[in-house]
Amino acid sequence: MIKALFFDVDGTLVSFKTHRIPQSTVDALTEAKRRGAGIYISTGRPKRLINNLDEISHLVDGYITATGAYCTVGGDVVSCITIPDDEARAFVRKSDEMRFATLVVGVGDLTVINPNPDVDRLYRKMLNVSDLGEGNSVEDVLGQGIIQFTPIIGTDTERALMPIMKHCVSARWYPDFVDITAQGADKGTALKTMAARIGVEISETMAFGDGGNDVPIISAAGTGVAMGNAGEDVKAAADYVTSSVDDDGVASALRHFGII
């Protein structure tokens, strides 16, 4: 029996085309909750940038955010994994030297350094996010502890930079940027931590996703579901491939497994 459902946000719950949750998904999650399943979010977004779940926020029991670096159940922090301070500061220096834009996510606040037109294209237009904490100083955010960097760089630059981040890992869910977190901060590890916190067996969990950073949680869950719009690596990791976010994929999978 599935007791806890974990959902990625962008491309899984929320359409890239409409920036909204399809009504079929809202109805399916409402029914799953009514039947006793816990509803959990699993996203690369930091909590401050989750602005597109209003229709289901009352259903959500907990959050895996910042690609697994910061997890909460109710109002309680379940885990908070920060990047070593020396590596965080080294990465900020590299961003300044190489002039690439980076979202710097602290435990409490965030900011953008070296903003460029891609920040508007990716965050404000594609993800429909307006407040990127431009008024916050990077030094203040660094002082809180960094849970995630999201630089807008290609894979070649990523490979060149990761050797300076010796205690970190990287994952992509969109080709134009990468999320960098401390080792041990990924969605799969977070699912195990969350399951232990809420008292469910891994076999009683189901995870949905579409991006590369969803592979760990899809692999770790009792049942992993890839969206029809997912990449081939995500589909290969899944137990089941449903239809796309815009083609009622979440509702179809929940019906397939008898959860609704």
Side-chain angles (χ1 to χ4, degrees):
M1 177 182 177
I2 300 298
K3 295 182 179 179
L5 300 165
F6 292 80
F7 297 95
D8 172 54
V9 174
D10 300 286
T12 298
L13 288 179
V14 177
S15 167
F16 281 116
K17 297 177 182 178
T18 67
H19 302 301
R20 297 184 63 84
I21 305 173
Q23 187 60 46
S24 65
T25 301
V26 176
D27 294 342
L29 267 60
T30 300
E31 179 61 15
K33 181 83 170 186
R34 187 189 71 80
R35 296 192 183 194
I39 307 295
Y40 299 89
I41 299 303
S42 170
T43 180
R45 293 194 187 213
K47 189 70 178 291
R48 284 279 304 274
L49 297 190
I50 299 176
N51 63 349
N52 50 2
L53 300 180
D54 288 350
E55 297 99 323
I56 63 164
S57 60
H58 62 291
L59 302 173
V60 177
D61 296 293
Y63 291 83
I64 294 171
T65 67
T67 320
Y70 195 85
C71 305
T72 59
V73 173
D76 299 329
V77 178
V78 176
S79 66
C80 176
I81 305 174
T82 57
I83 293 171
D85 184 66
D86 59 336
E87 294 180 25
R89 292 178 181 276
F91 194 84
V92 168
R93 288 194 296 271
K94 280 294 185 183
S95 182
D96 288 341
E97 290 170 10
M98 299 175 69
R99 304 305 300 171
F100 56 80
T102 299
L103 181 69
V104 182
V105 183
V107 172
D109 295 305
L110 51 77
T111 192
V112 172
I113 55 176
N114 306 312
N116 60 28
D118 284 335
V119 171
D120 286 332
R121 175 176 64 87
L122 294 169
Y123 283 100
R124 293 189 171 90
K125 293 180 181 177
M126 186 184 81
L127 298 180
N128 200 33
V129 169
S130 57
D131 183 6
L132 295 174
E134 289 94 332
N136 299 324
S137 77
V138 67
E139 187 59 39
D140 287 346
V141 177
L142 282 167
Q144 300 170 5
I146 300 302
I147 57 175
Q148 181 170 276
F149 288 117
T150 303
I152 301 175
I153 56 175
T155 54
D156 288 344
T157 304
E158 175 189 349
R159 282 192 292 269
L161 289 171
M162 287 310 293
I164 72 170
M165 308 296 283
K166 297 183 185 301
H167 300 92
C168 294
V169 294
S170 59
R172 287 180 185 264
W173 56 271
Y174 192 77
D176 291 2
F177 52 76
V178 60
D179 290 330
I180 298 172
T181 55
Q183 290 177 0
D186 64 73
K187 292 186 181 186
T189 303
L191 176 137
K192 296 172 185 176
T193 300
M194 294 282 277
R197 170 63 173 79
I198 62 181
V200 302
E201 300 294 328
I202 295 298
S203 61
E204 297 171 325
T205 65
M206 177 179 288
F208 290 69
D210 72 298
N213 66 351
D214 295 313
V215 170
I217 194 169
I218 285 174
S219 300
T223 304
V225 179
M227 304 300 292
N229 48 281
E232 292 306 313
D233 57 334
V234 185
K235 292 177 180 178
D239 299 294
Y240 180 74
V241 178
T242 187
S243 50
S244 73
V245 59
D246 294 297
D247 194 26
D248 303 329
V250 168
S252 295
L254 293 179
R255 284 194 296 269
H256 173 82
F257 286 101
I259 295 168
I260 61 173

